[in-house]
RNA sequence: GGGCGGGUGGCGGAACUGGCAGACGCGCCGGACUUAGGAUCCGGUGCCGCAAGGCAUGAGGGUUCGAGUCCCUCCCCGCCCACCA
């Protein structure tokens, strides 16, 4: 007989099993070389301070999956590391002067300690931090490889400059109202040289790859599609009479070009000063000046008023030779397209409003296909922007829009006045950062040879320990002469190092591959391991990374594919984006609201298993949840209830399985319930992750157990079977408790085993299939009773039974049955009139 | 303006290919045990109604024997993108 205690004491159970798992090394990847692999990955944390509930949730979701897959017999890789370079550590250093390295190391320690307390099944032997030179040296190595292949280049142009972080940002890091994704400060344009990845060269590839990502949430692939923003159109040249220059415009609606009644340039367009008529000059210059001083967000943001001025110049529509006025206006952006648009007020709402305001003619050239004809331009109350059939469009009249677009672009190419053109919203990824706590860019500037790459053999270029963190916007590394002054690898002459560092999104772009050989000093990761483990099977993380990390990481994987390092184009098959854990008040957890709950105290009070159960039971993984103390207590209550039923039925532990065959009546029903539960939980772990309903099924099984008092050995065997299934099915969700109870049931015989790597239970199909069912009886679609029949019952049998039901009889009385609908195993419906 | 999600009891959420709406949990109500219970166990709990019954899945229409689920019109909420030419 078991010597188990009456009370559930998470605190005494959890550390014990954590130690056992650790000693036995059950979470090491590669323990089952003959088995199929599964790579389960959660986005690694940036270790700022301690772990919060958001982390607890992602890792709990991933861990439940990893534990399940391990029990299914897969060789599971489930690693963890730290995204340790980046601005917060440096910004904090500005305040208290502590070295980012020191602070980061401490935070990592704290983080790791907390994660270990939750008992996540990570293969800790593979842990690394991106601030280790052993990691970032490979960032530098990739940089060199990409430089050789022209995927990295140096450019000078308008870069996004964060006025808070005092560094350049990538386009993706600029969020609404042109603010910094990280600190929220305004982002301004600054002309500055920077290093960039030619991600735009991969735009079509990245776009096409999205179609294959069927196990990614659609909203993420849609966001990427929109971000890449491929638009097919044409570029067309409008000649300027009396000038050798031409205005090149980009349009997606070349089919409307015969309706073009004016041309608009961005105020910054280089032709503006050249073409402006002398009598318009003052007004135009004043407008341009004013636009310069207006913030970009204000100029193009929501509710901005369309305004512009006429330059006095004219341009010729190459399709019909028409002479059109050239305007400049605030809504045309120099950085999009060619910085010039052809305006077709009848078929573009923005052009329509502008034309109305400045009394420019409106000419209809597209008619709707099916609806009634549009009135002449002056009679329109808004632009007709859909496709239709062309009219008043020379030789193209009568064509459908889509067809016309192709022919007109081809026509333009033949005449040398334009060509079909594909444009993307995606910009190249500028990754230089004027900060200290990042990967040094391995470049040396020499008077004689310019920018010279640091030879591979000299990597890593180490971050100097004596960081001077100034917060001035000058690269801090520039202030460390020992770092800056070096010799040219080509000529040996005096040279200066690049003092900018890499965007930390570089670190997270390939870390998943580094887990394959985290300590390898010869290569970023070994090829044979890439064959074994990649791609990632399931990746769990927040949807906020939909465009940024998840785009960069797909880009990087393609580059690695080109380098022959990986053997598929996509880094990860399936993506799970988990929702936010809000405060109990439904608001985002924040010090400001005083609604922050952290894992530590919750684990102290209830144990890690209770916290995990809450994370999984509260809702499906994708949805946001509100922290709820009551709900958490409810889960603690459930685990205690599980514990107590094991304790109360400890006399069943020693009953032999052979007695199972004798189970009858309520205990046969229990066996059915047990096997149905196995089926339900197993299904919940596959496909859509339904942890919440899986746990609900376990609760039902427990509720059933409480209703039964076993009297015979057959009864006890059925109870024991249920308890064993319960412990096993609980293992992915509440692993410590599951392990403890499982060993209690099995006794000394199980001493050498760990539930964490035992096989997942199978259900007996014969027990899952019910032999009798409840059939709903409806009269005219309304429920009037129910009957118990065998699953095989035929319609006439069910009908006869149903007609005997009193309430059914009452509703059938005096009516004619016109029709009977019978759905086997579900319902019978009498249609009467 | 565009795209993608959502809208079901007091709350979190269930509901397979159209087939008994509300599983499971929280909360609440009642009972048992108890010196006591905020522990535990048992029972109840969508709304109206004494009941029979009626009404209920954002609103309104439709298809169907039957609609949370399918179709149409509309409203609201969340997220992402956005004067993108």
């Amino acid at each position: 007989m078991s010597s188990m205690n009456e009370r559930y004491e998470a605190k005494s159970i959890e550390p014990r099993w954590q130690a056992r798992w650790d000693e036995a090394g059950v979470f090491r990847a590669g323990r089952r070389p003959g088995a199929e692999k599964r790579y389960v990955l959660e986005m690694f944390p940036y270790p700022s301070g301690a772990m919060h509930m958001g982390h607890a949730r992602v890792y709990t979701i991933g861990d439940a999956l990893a534990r399940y897959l391990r029990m299914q017999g897969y060789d599971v890789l489930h690693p963890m590391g730290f995204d340790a370079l980046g601005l917060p550590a440096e910004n904090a250093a500005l305040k208290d002067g502590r070295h980012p390295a020191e602070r980061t190391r401490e935070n990592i320690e704290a983080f790791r300690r907390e994660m270990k307390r939750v008992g996540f099944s990570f293969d800790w032997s593979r842990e690394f931090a991106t601030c280790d030179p052993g990691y970032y040296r490979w960032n530098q190595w990739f940089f060199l490889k990409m430089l050789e292949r022209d995927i990295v280049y140096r450019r000078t142009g308008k870069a996004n400059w964060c006025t808070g972080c005092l560094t350049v940002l990538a386009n993706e890091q600029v969020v609404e109202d042109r603010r910094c994704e990280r600190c929220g400060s305004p982002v301004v344009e600054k002309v500055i040289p920077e290093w960039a990845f030619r991600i735009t060269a991969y735009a079509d590839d990245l776009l096409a790859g999205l179609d294959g990502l069927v196990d990614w949430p659609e909203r993420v692939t849609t966001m990427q599609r929109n971000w890449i923003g491929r638009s097919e159109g044409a570029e067309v040249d409008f000649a300027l009479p009396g000038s050798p220059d031409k205005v090149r415009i980009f349009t997606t609606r070349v089919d409307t070009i015969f309706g073009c009644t004016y041309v608009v340039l961005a105020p910054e367009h280089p032709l503006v000063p050249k073409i402006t008529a002398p009598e318009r000059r003052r007004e135009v210059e004043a407008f341009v000046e004013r636009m310069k001083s207006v913030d970009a967000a204000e100029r193009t943001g929501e509710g901005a008023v369309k305004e512009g001025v006429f330059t006095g110049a004219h341009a010729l529509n190459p399709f019909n030779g028409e002479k059109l006025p050239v305007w400049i206006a605030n809504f045309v952006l120099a950085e999009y397209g060619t910085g010039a648009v052809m305006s077709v007020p009848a078929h573009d709402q923005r052009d329509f409003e502008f034309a109305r305001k400045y009394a420019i003619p409106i000419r209809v050239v597209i008619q709707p296909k099916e609806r009634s004809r549009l009135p002449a331009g002056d009679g329109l109350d808004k632009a007709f922007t859909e496709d239709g059939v062309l009219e008043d469009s020379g030789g193209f009249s009568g064509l459908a829009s889509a067809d016309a677009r192709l022919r007109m672009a081809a026509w333009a190419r033949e005449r040398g006045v334009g060509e079909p053109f594909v444009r993307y919203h995606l910009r190249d990824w500028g990754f230089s950062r004027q900060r200290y706590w990042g990967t040094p860019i391995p470049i040396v500037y020499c008077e004689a040879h310019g920018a010279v790459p640091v030879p591979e053999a000299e990597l890593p270029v180490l971050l100097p320990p004596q960081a001077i963190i100034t917060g001035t916007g000058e690269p801090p590394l520039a202030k460390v002469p020992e770092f800056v002054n070096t010799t040219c690898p080509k000529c040996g002459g005096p040279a200066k190092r690049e003092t900018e560092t890499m965007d930390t999104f570089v670190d997270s772009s390939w870390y998943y591959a580094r887990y394959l050989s985290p300590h390898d000093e010869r290569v970023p990761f070994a090829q044979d391991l890439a064959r074994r483990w990649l791609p990632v099977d399931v990746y769990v993380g927040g949807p906020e990374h939909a465009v940024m990390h998840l785009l960069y990481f797909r880009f990087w994987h393609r580059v690695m594919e080109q380098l022959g390092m990986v053997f598929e184009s996509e880094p990860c098959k399936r993506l799970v984006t988990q929702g936010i854990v809000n405060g109990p008040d439904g608001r985002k957890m924040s010090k400001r609201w005083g609604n922050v709950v952290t894992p530590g105290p919750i684990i102290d009070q209830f144990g890690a298993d209770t916290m995990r159960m809450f994370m999984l039971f509260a809702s499906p993984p994708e949805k946001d949840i509100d922290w709820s103390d009551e709900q958490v207590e409810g889960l603690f209550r459930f685990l205690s209830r599980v514990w107590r039923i094991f304790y109360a039925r400890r006399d069943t532990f020693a009953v032999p399985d052979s007695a199972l065959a004798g189970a009858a009546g309520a205990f046969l029903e229990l066996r059915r319930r047990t096997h149905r539960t196995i089926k339900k939980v197993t299904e919940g772990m596959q496909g859509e992750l339904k942890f919440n309903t899986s746990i609900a099924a376990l609760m039902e099984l427990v509720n059933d157990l409480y209703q039964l008092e076993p009297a015979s050995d057959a009864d006890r065997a059925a109870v024991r079977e249920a308890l064993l299934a319960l412990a096993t099915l609980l293992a992915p969700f509440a692993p410590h408790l599951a392990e403890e109870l499982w060993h209690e049931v099995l006794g000394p015989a199980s001493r050498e085993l760990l539930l964490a790597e035992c096989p997942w239970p199978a259900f007996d199909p014969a027990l899952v299939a019910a032999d009798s069912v409840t059939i709903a009886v409806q009269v005219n679609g309304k429920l009037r009773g129910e009957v118990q029949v065998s699953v095989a019952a035929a319609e006439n049998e069910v009908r006869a039974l149903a007609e005997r039901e009193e309430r059914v009889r009452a509703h059938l009385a005096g009516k004619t049955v016109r029709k009977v609908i019978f759905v086997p195993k579900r319902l019978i419906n009498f249609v009467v009139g």
Side-chain angles (χ1 to χ4, degrees):
Chain A
M1 165 101 41
S2 156
S3 61
M4 75 187 284
N5 216 308
E6 195 176 345
R7 282 191 48 162
Y8 168 46
E9 302 264 18
K11 229 178 257 180
S12 67
I13 295 174
E14 294 180 349
R16 203 167 67 237
W17 292 111
Q18 287 161 13
R20 283 284 308 271
W21 293 327
D22 196 35
E23 284 156 25
V26 283
F27 305 138
R28 293 261 172 84
R31 301 184 90 214
R32 296 167 171 164
E36 227 183 288
K37 69 91 185 179
R38 285 292 184 273
Y39 186 172
V40 179
L41 181 68
E42 296 103 55
M43 291 181 186
F44 66 168
Y46 179 86
S48 56
M51 191 165 99
H52 62 239
M53 284 299 176
H55 296 116
R57 188 170 185 204
V58 214
Y59 302 135
T60 299
I61 292 166
D63 198 51
L65 211 54
R67 285 178 177 272
Y68 166 73
L69 291 169
R70 223 174 266 121
M71 292 175 79
Q72 280 288 7
Y74 295 105
D75 193 5
V76 174
L77 171 56
H78 187 219
M80 184 45 63
F82 296 94
D83 188 16
L85 290 168
L87 293 182
E90 194 170 342
N91 289 341
L94 272 178
K95 284 195 192 124
D96 63 11
R98 294 191 54 209
H99 196 284
E102 192 189 327
R103 180 193 311 275
T104 301
R105 195 169 310 115
E106 252 172 50
N107 285 349
I108 288 176
E109 298 291 329
F111 229 99
R112 190 193 302 112
R113 214 178 307 125
E114 291 245 81
M115 288 200 274
K116 290 200 166 175
R117 279 191 74 202
V118 192
F120 294 127
S121 66
F122 296 131
D123 180 350
W124 285 107
S125 71
R126 293 168 187 263
E127 178 198 338
F128 62 81
T130 56
C131 60
D132 302 337
Y135 183 79
Y136 70 66
R137 68 172 294 179
W138 300 111
N139 287 344
Q140 296 171 340
W141 182 88
F142 276 116
F143 173 94
L144 297 178
K145 295 289 165 199
M146 286 157 90
L147 192 62
E148 279 168 25
R149 283 164 180 75
D150 195 36
I151 303 166
V152 159
Y153 66 101
R154 186 88 168 145
R155 69 178 179 193
T156 300
K158 277 188 197 164
N160 303 303
W161 180 263
C162 173
T163 54
C165 302
L166 299 170
T167 180
V168 167
L169 299 179
N171 237 21
E172 288 77 11
Q173 291 156 18
V174 182
V175 295
E176 63 218 77
D177 292 344
R178 295 204 43 85
R179 284 177 180 277
C180 170
E181 169 260 331
R182 208 135 219 157
C183 71
S185 307
V187 173
V188 297
E189 285 170 343
K190 184 167 175 177
V191 177
I192 190 170
E194 61 172 349
W195 292 97
F197 293 118
R198 223 178 275 286
I199 190 171
T200 52
Y202 296 76
D204 273 326
D205 230 24
L206 288 167
L207 204 53
L210 291 173
D211 295 333
L213 297 179
V214 293
D215 290 324
W216 280 41
E218 197 182 296
R219 64 193 193 112
V220 173
T221 49
T222 306
M223 276 165 69
Q224 291 215 353
R225 210 165 264 127
N226 292 341
W227 187 261
I228 295 168
R230 179 189 160 99
S231 63
E232 273 185 60
E235 289 200 348
V236 179
D237 292 323
F238 283 56
L240 297 161
S243 157
D245 290 313
K246 295 179 278 199
V247 178
R248 171 156 277 222
I249 61 96
F250 172 71
T251 178
T252 54
R253 288 300 303 275
V254 69
D255 55 312
T256 65
I257 199 166
F258 283 83
C260 174
T261 52
Y262 60 105
V263 168
V264 190
L265 306 184
E268 303 84 352
H269 197 289
L271 284 175
V272 172
K274 284 192 182 173
I275 62 169
T276 302
E279 71 275 14
R280 311 284 313 156
R281 191 159 295 270
R282 272 185 57 180
E283 204 183 332
V284 168
E285 279 172 1
F287 186 80
V288 171
E289 264 324 295
R290 192 152 61 80
M291 285 304 127
K292 268 189 199 156
S293 63
V294 178
D295 179 88
E298 201 179 311
R299 179 173 137 191
T300 60
E302 183 94 39
V305 183
K306 293 170 184 45
E307 52 175 340
V309 293
F310 177 44
T311 62
H314 289 82
L316 300 178
N317 181 338
F319 279 75
N320 58 10
E322 202 171 345
K323 196 173 165 195
L324 306 168
V326 178
W327 288 65
I328 59 174
N330 59 346
F331 64 83
V332 177
L333 308 174
E335 53 283 357
Y336 188 83
T338 57
V341 302
M342 67 170 206
S343 285
V344 184
H347 303 294
D348 180 287
Q349 187 58 26
R350 191 192 47 202
D351 295 346
F352 180 84
E353 286 166 27
F354 193 83
R356 269 286 154 82
K357 179 166 179 180
Y358 293 103
I360 302 170
I362 297 169
R363 188 190 305 149
V364 172
V365 291
I366 307 284
Q367 287 292 347
K369 252 188 191 129
E370 266 135 31
R371 270 169 293 143
S372 52
R373 287 182 53 82
L374 298 174
D378 299 341
L380 282 179
D381 55 357
K382 61 173 194 211
F384 172 72
T385 57
E386 291 159 47
D387 277 7
V389 178
L390 277 67
E391 66 174 19
D392 296 332
S393 296
F396 302 98
S397 296
L399 293 176
S401 291
D403 190 21
R405 282 194 284 270
L406 294 176
R407 297 204 197 189
M408 292 167 91
W411 183 92
R413 168 179 280 167
E414 280 160 29
R415 304 293 162 107
V417 293
E419 61 205 329
F421 202 90
V422 178
R423 189 160 287 288
Y424 300 89
H425 172 256
L426 182 70
R427 304 279 88 141
D428 277 341
W429 171 14
F431 65 93
S432 320
R433 298 291 179 268
Q434 290 69 27
R435 301 297 303 230
Y436 166 73
W437 193 231
T439 304
I441 293 172
I443 286 285
V444 162
Y445 295 99
C446 158
E447 290 253 337
H449 299 97
V452 180
V454 174
E456 223 178 288
E458 287 175 29
L459 299 184
V461 176
L462 289 171
L463 259 183
Q466 62 279 44
I468 299 172
I469 293 166
T470 54
T472 57
E474 292 296 306
L477 292 182
K479 303 226 161 80
V480 185
E482 303 88 310
F483 175 81
V484 175
N485 297 315
T486 184
T487 51
C488 170
K490 271 197 182 149
C491 62
K496 289 188 186 305
R497 285 193 191 279
E498 173 63 81
T499 54
E500 293 176 344
T501 54
M502 296 186 199
D503 184 357
T504 53
F505 277 108
V506 168
D507 308 327
S508 51
S509 289
W510 66 281
Y511 74 109
Y512 59 97
R514 183 62 179 171
Y515 285 128
L516 310 188
S517 14
H519 312 300
D520 200 321
E521 291 180 4
R522 298 153 319 175
V523 287
F525 54 93
Q527 251 189 17
D528 56 324
L529 293 173
R531 274 216 168 78
R532 166 72 172 159
W533 293 106
L534 297 179
V536 172
D537 292 280
V538 187
Y539 194 23
V540 190
E544 67 274 16
H545 292 107
V547 287
M548 283 202 283
H549 164 58
L550 289 172
L551 191 61
Y552 297 148
F553 130 108
R554 294 182 59 225
F555 157 69
W556 205 279
H557 198 80
R558 283 179 148 72
V559 172
M560 295 197 296
E561 187 191 14
Q562 282 183 339
L563 296 173
M565 303 171 72
V566 300
F567 309 98
E568 65 289 307
S569 307
E570 291 292 337
C572 123
K573 278 193 196 149
R574 175 161 185 208
L575 177 70
V576 176
T577 50
Q578 100 285 355
I580 297 168
V581 184
N582 287 315
D585 53 0
R587 288 185 293 198
K588 207 175 161 70
M589 280 193 194
S590 144
K591 279 183 198 144
R592 188 172 152 210
W593 305 122
N595 60 354
V596 178
V597 188
T598 54
I602 298 296
I603 296 172
D604 291 339
Q605 199 181 345
F606 301 105
D609 282 340
T610 294
M611 184 181 70
R612 298 168 77 125
M613 290 289 283
F614 170 76
M615 293 296 181
L616 300 172
F617 184 68
S619 92
E622 315 77 48
K623 291 192 77 167
D624 290 355
I625 57 179
D626 297 345
W627 182 262
S628 157
D629 291 316
E630 289 86 2
Q631 201 74 233
V632 170
E633 281 178 46
L635 271 318
F636 176 73
R637 222 153 33 220
F638 170 65
L639 293 184
S640 306
R641 213 166 131 79
V642 169
W643 180 271
R644 277 192 304 270
I645 195 68
F646 274 76
Y647 179 76
R649 297 289 173 257
R650 59 197 184 286
D651 62 329
T652 68
F653 294 174
V655 174
D657 277 347
S658 55
L660 262 183
F667 288 87
L668 181 57
E669 279 310 306
L670 175 64
R671 294 205 63 204
R672 292 187 192 287
R673 164 73 82 183
T674 299
H675 286 261
R676 279 204 308 273
T677 306
I678 296 173
K679 180 167 191 266
K680 170 108 189 175
V681 175
T682 307
E683 285 168 356
M685 302 304 291
Q686 290 152 354
E688 254 181 286
L689 301 176
K690 295 182 171 177
F691 301 121
N692 55 337
T693 54
S694 294
I695 292 171
L698 294 174
M699 288 172 169
E700 288 183 74
L701 179 59
V702 171
N703 290 343
D704 276 10
L705 282 166
Y706 269 85
Q707 302 292 326
L708 296 169
E709 198 68 47
S712 67
D713 264 6
D715 295 353
R716 278 188 280 272
V719 169
R720 180 181 185 272
E721 179 187 41
L723 294 178
L724 215 44
L726 184 58
T728 316
L729 297 175
L730 215 41
F733 314 128
H736 309 89
L737 173 64
E739 192 82 59
E740 179 84 12
L741 293 174
W742 188 77
H743 285 270
E744 286 292 347
V745 175
L746 293 183
S750 65
R751 206 168 290 146
E752 300 307 312
L753 298 168
L754 284 168
L755 175 58
E757 55 178 357
C758 276
W760 188 254
F763 57 86
D764 178 349
L767 285 169
V768 166
D771 52 7
S772 96
V773 284
T774 310
I775 294 215
V777 183
Q778 298 182 336
V779 177
N780 280 349
K782 296 220 175 291
L783 185 69
R784 299 300 177 193
E786 50 187 39
V787 292
Q788 280 286 331
V789 298
S790 84
V791 261
E795 176 172 346
N796 50 9
E797 195 182 327
V798 176
R799 182 175 174 173
L801 272 172
E803 282 171 337
R804 237 172 283 154
E805 284 280 301
E806 206 178 313
R807 286 171 63 216
V808 178
R809 269 207 324 246
H811 283 93
L812 291 180
K815 311 242 172 80
T816 344
V817 175
R818 296 187 194 284
K819 198 168 162 189
V820 176
I821 310 277
F822 176 64
V823 184
K825 293 196 262 185
R826 298 220 181 267
L827 62 71
I828 185 159
N829 184 13
F830 294 91
V831 185
V832 301

